[in-house]
Amino acid sequence: MTNSDSRPTLAILISGRGSNMVAIARTCLSGALNARVTLVISNRPDAPGIEAAREMGIDTAVIDHKAFASRQAFDDALHERLMSVKPDWIVLAGFMRILTEDFVNRWQGRMLNIHPSLLPKYPGLDTHARAIAAGDRHAGASVHIVSPELDAGPVVAQVRVPIESDDTADTLAQRVLQEEHGLYIKALQLCVGKMDQ
């Protein structure tokens, strides 16, 4: 990419295989999302998503949280690396770290996360098992603006997935994941579109 590329920029944070990251990056490359991914960061050196990003020609970085004495020290290093590219949006895509309030406040209103429930229901972990146990008819996923409170920021977009009578937490999780990629792209189109106005 040349410096004349004026599209909004994304930095994507991952901890694992990065399936949402790959879907977002491919959509950017195809032109269907008016943005470009300038950096993918993982807090885990063995995250398969890092190699996937490299194969797409995206700049990558590994900031191993285990190398830092405190959560704050890790977040400071993460912030410093992000500032080297100054993204318009930070996209959390399977990033399994709770960020400090200080870090969130630095990027307030410019950081998105995807969560596998119909927020405000079931913040935190084990969302699918909790939805089944409660007898809910639908589960789903939400993309929200990150706030200092866990999974509590304003929801940008949601998708609903019916809970079948024979669903387990695993089968439900698989079906929700199939809907997550399109949901995240829809949410980014909404957020990036606001920047263009």
Side-chain angles (χ1 to χ4, degrees), residues 13-16 20 43 91-97 113-114 184:
L13 309 188
I14 65 171
S15 295
N20 270 308
N43 65 305
V91 179
L92 308 184
F95 184 67
M96 303 304 290
R97 296 284 297 169
N113 182 45
I114 191 162
Y184 223 151

Side-chain angles (χ1 to χ4, degrees), residues 16-32:
R17 65 188 183 279
S19 65
N20 270 308
M21 175 274 295
V22 169
I24 292 165
R26 286 177 176 164
T27 306
C28 290
L29 290 168
S30 75

Side-chain angles (χ1 to χ4, degrees), residues 53-123:
R54 289 175 182 149
E55 289 174 0
M56 288 188 284
I58 301 169
D59 191 19
T60 63
V62 173
I63 304 174
D64 187 350
H65 66 275
K66 294 179 181 177
F68 295 87
S70 68
R71 194 175 291 276
Q72 186 67 53
F74 169 78
D75 282 8
D76 287 345
L78 180 60
H79 176 74
E80 183 177 346
R81 185 63 180 90
L82 287 164
M83 285 302 294
S84 72
V85 297
K86 296 182 179 174
D88 293 305
W89 288 91
I90 297 172
V91 179
L92 308 184
F95 184 67
M96 303 304 290
R97 296 284 297 169
I98 296 175
L99 296 162
T100 59
E101 182 174 353
D102 181 53
F103 181 91
V104 172
N105 287 336
R106 288 174 176 180
W107 296 95
Q108 186 63 52
R110 296 166 54 198
M111 187 162 40
L112 293 172
N113 182 45
I114 191 162
H115 182 73
S117 80
L118 294 171
L119 291 173
K121 279 190 169 185
Y122 314 126

Side-chain angles (χ1 to χ4, degrees), residues 129-194:
R130 289 157 68 191
I132 291 170
D136 292 354
R137 296 179 63 186
H138 290 88
S142 308
V143 175
H144 65 94
I145 301 288
V146 176
S147 67
E149 300 79 29
L150 182 66
D151 299 326
V155 172
V156 175
Q158 285 185 325
V159 63
R160 293 166 66 87
V161 175
I163 298 177
E164 306 294 348
S165 60
D166 59 348
D167 261 331
T168 65
D170 287 340
T171 60
L172 181 57
Q174 290 170 9
R175 293 209 322 283
V176 170
L177 181 61
Q178 290 172 2
E179 302 294 331
E180 284 187 10
H181 299 167
L183 176 69
Y184 223 151
I185 289 160
K186 175 185 174 183
L188 281 164
Q189 287 169 333
L190 290 169
C191 293
V192 169
K194 288 179 183 177

